Amino acid sequence: EMLEEEIVSGALPPGTHLREVALAERLGVSRTPLREALTRLAEMGWIRIIPNVGAFVREITPHEVAELFLVRKALDGLAAELACRRWTPEFAAELRKIADEYREHRLAKRYYETRVSNCRFHRFIAEHCGCQALLDTIQRGRLILRSEMARHPFEERLGETPPQVAVTHYHILEALEAGEPAQARTAAERHLEQVRVRLEDLLERRF
């Protein structure tokens, strides 16, 4: 769990060589349970293990980003539509608070806090959509966390985007507050599409 958190948080960025001896000493465990943990992380898609070379935090490719955001676009859009049908003033207040926190952290270039707020915003909508099967699908696939991993190498570049054109959550929030399920779905889908295009462009330049 500690290694997974470090990967997701960006403390262990994509491409990091996970050296067993150093990790075992730092985490205070023997190499056998560490290898078991690395095997689980590989099965979950967080790392890749190269025989006779070692384990590395996975680097996401442009193709994987395209697939990931294709799925998220459909699922997040549906979650927003369903959540809009269950809208309450309490829900609205909490979601606006998260959206404001995301914007503040982003403008201050507090990248870790930005990631946390971004995950909270999208997870909050999914958790209040009223469809357990949809929530389970999003959580089992770790779709939101995997999306955040794609951002790690480019956080400074993304942080340099002018505030007036940066992708925020307010269009989704406003559609939800308007009580328009179809509009909320469209706003969520458009949001994910904007993020996908930006990340794919950065990844293409890198690869």
Side-chain angles (χ1 to χ4, degrees), residues 112-172:
Y112 175 75
E113 290 82 359
T114 298
R115 290 199 302 272
V116 171
S117 293
N118 188 51
C119 288
R120 283 184 63 208
F121 183 89
H122 292 285
R123 189 180 296 118
F124 192 81
I125 292 175
E127 290 172 346
H128 289 77
C129 73
C131 180
Q132 189 62 44
L134 176 57
L135 176 60
D136 289 345
T137 300
I138 292 172
Q139 291 180 331
R140 277 199 303 268
R142 291 176 168 77
L143 301 179
I144 297 174
L145 292 178
R146 288 165 60 196
S147 300
E148 288 304 307
M149 281 189 66
R151 297 163 58 103
H152 291 171
F154 310 110
E155 287 186 317
E156 291 188 10
R157 297 276 297 280
L158 292 168
E160 293 169 358
T161 306
Q164 63 269 24
V165 297
V167 177
T168 67
H169 299 112
Y170 290 110
H171 291 305
I172 302 174

Side-chain angles (χ1 to χ4, degrees), residues 87 92 95-96 99 121 169-178:
W87 194 250
L95 199 59
R96 180 165 288 278
F121 183 89
H169 299 112
Y170 290 110
H171 291 305
I172 302 174
L173 183 60
E174 288 165 3
L176 289 166
E177 290 177 335

Side-chain angles (χ1 to χ4, degrees), residues 64-76:
E64 289 174 307
V65 167
E67 289 189 338
L68 176 59
F69 278 88
L70 177 67
V71 174
R72 276 205 63 193
K73 182 178 175 180
L75 297 182
D76 282 40

Side-chain angles (χ1 to χ4, degrees), residues 6-7 9 24 33 75 84 86 91 93 106 119-120 143 150 193:
E6 290 184 358
I7 292 171
S9 70
L75 297 182
C84 190
R86 298 164 52 86
F91 180 14
R106 187 194 169 285
C119 288
R120 283 184 63 208
L143 301 179
E193 183 65 13

Side-chain angles (χ1 to χ4, degrees), residues 97-118 120 159:
K97 177 182 176 182
I98 298 171
D100 290 342
E101 288 175 353
Y102 170 85
R103 184 175 184 277
E104 290 173 7
H105 291 317
R106 187 194 169 285
L107 291 175
K109 297 185 178 181
R110 294 189 290 263
Y111 299 126
Y112 175 75
E113 290 82 359
T114 298
R115 290 199 302 272
V116 171
S117 293
N118 188 51
R120 283 184 63 208

